[in-house]
Amino acid sequence: VSMIEDDVFLSVSSVPRLFEESRQCIIHPDAKLRLAWDLVALLLIAEAATVLPLDLAFQGIGLEAVLLPDIVTTSFWSADIVLGFNTGFVTARGKLGGDRTAI
């Protein structure tokens, strides 16, 4: 568990915090989890760019086949909003930022 925390979450010493309990909830911006999430987002954007025009052009044909991917995509982007509010950032000076009010 500590290896995962070191890789994914910002360390306690790297980011000053106002609230002690919020430290473990900030995801490091360069973490493998965040990279994998962003790659899935890229695939979903590519999928939407191909499926959406076809769905609009041929409305009514195979609507059931598009319903499940739409639910998955909507759920993913909803979770992405939550993840974005829990991901640290790199400041203009190259330092890690993770203050809740700054995020």
Side-chain angles (χ1 to χ4, degrees), residues 26-92:
I26 305 297
I27 299 169
H28 195 287
D30 294 330
K32 291 177 185 174
L33 170 72
R34 186 62 199 190
L35 176 64
W37 188 267
D38 290 342
L39 289 174
V40 171
L42 181 66
L43 291 174
L44 286 176
I45 289 170
E47 184 265 341
T50 56
V51 171
L52 187 62
L54 293 173
D55 187 36
L56 291 174
F58 303 105
Q59 271 184 328
I61 299 174
L63 183 63
E64 296 80 21
V66 183
L67 185 60
L68 182 61
D70 282 347
I71 292 171
V72 169
T73 302
T74 302
S75 300
F76 177 86
W77 292 119
S78 298
D80 187 59
I81 292 170
V82 173
L83 186 68
F85 282 118
N86 290 295
T87 301
F89 58 93
V90 179
T91 65

Side-chain angles (χ1 to χ4, degrees), residues 5-16:
E5 288 178 2
D6 290 343
D7 186 35
V8 175
F9 298 105
L10 293 174
S11 68
V12 173
S13 61
S14 68
V15 180

